[in-house]
Amino acid sequence: MATPDELERQYTLLSAAARFDALRTRDALAPSPDDADALDGAAVLDGGDGGDGGDGAESDAATDTAAPLNRKEALELLALGELLARKAAYGRQLSVRSARRAGASWSQIGAALGTSKQAAWEAHNRWIDEQAKQDREAGHWGLNDKEIDAARTLAGELDN
């Protein structure tokens, strides 16, 4: 079973989004279990991957429907969704840092995020804390002590 941590090593944001989109589209186009008899029995039994380890993305030529996701693919879809959320959140905080470097106030950042300046500032400081924690854990990249100090200085106080 693929986990978000395993998939993070395999996919960039763009490639994870493409794989997520392919699985999500196929899942949306596949018949419901109630309509399973519309598919070839082999496609239903083996989850549409033909038992060859392929991605199962083929459609059933007789009915022109997408094969339902098998268990492995359904779990991969869930893990990819989580991975995308993590990567988007990380990118969001990098954008917050860019905005601060460019002189944006927390009020401006909050407005750009559709939230209050306090919520934006608190979320960014939680992200900094998480980066410090990750740097101390084996196998994770985070911000080292010097980078944490620089990030906190850049974040400043809420009034800025």
Side-chain angles (χ1 to χ4, degrees):
M1 179 181 83
T3 66
D5 290 337
E6 290 169 356
L7 293 177
E8 188 169 18
R9 292 176 191 84
Q10 293 178 290
Y11 291 104
T12 64
L13 177 59
L14 193 57
S15 63
R19 176 68 176 153
F20 178 87
D21 186 52
L23 289 173
R24 186 72 201 115
T25 299
R26 203 173 105 225
D27 188 46
L29 295 176
S32 69
D34 297 335
D35 298 332
D37 47 50
L39 289 176
D40 174 30
V44 173
L45 293 176
D46 70 16
D49 71 357
D52 62 2
D55 67 5
E58 299 82 20
S59 65
D60 184 343
T63 60
D64 200 34
T65 59
L69 300 182
N70 61 34
R71 182 181 311 165
K72 180 181 173 187
E73 291 168 327
L75 292 171
E76 180 184 5
L77 180 62
L78 285 171
L80 283 166
E82 176 60 24
L83 175 63
L84 289 170
R86 290 179 186 183
K87 286 185 177 285
Y90 185 82
R92 179 185 207 187
Q93 294 308 320
L94 293 178
S95 296
V96 167
R97 287 177 61 188
S98 295
R100 287 295 292 171
R101 260 190 234 105
S105 70
W106 282 108
S107 293
Q108 292 169 322
I109 292 169
L113 295 174
T115 188
S116 69
K117 67 180 184 178
Q118 181 172 348
W121 183 81
E122 288 174 355
H124 190 65
N125 278 284
R126 281 191 303 273
W127 177 80
I128 293 170
D129 292 342
E130 183 62 29
Q131 292 304 303
K133 179 181 165 192
Q134 284 186 3
D135 190 59
R136 292 184 213 110
E137 294 176 6
H140 287 91
W141 290 357
L143 300 176
N144 63 34
D145 290 340
K146 184 178 176 182
E147 293 166 326
I148 292 295
D149 290 342
R152 290 198 193 288
T153 299
L154 182 61
E157 295 299 319
L158 185 57
D159 296 338
N160 297 0

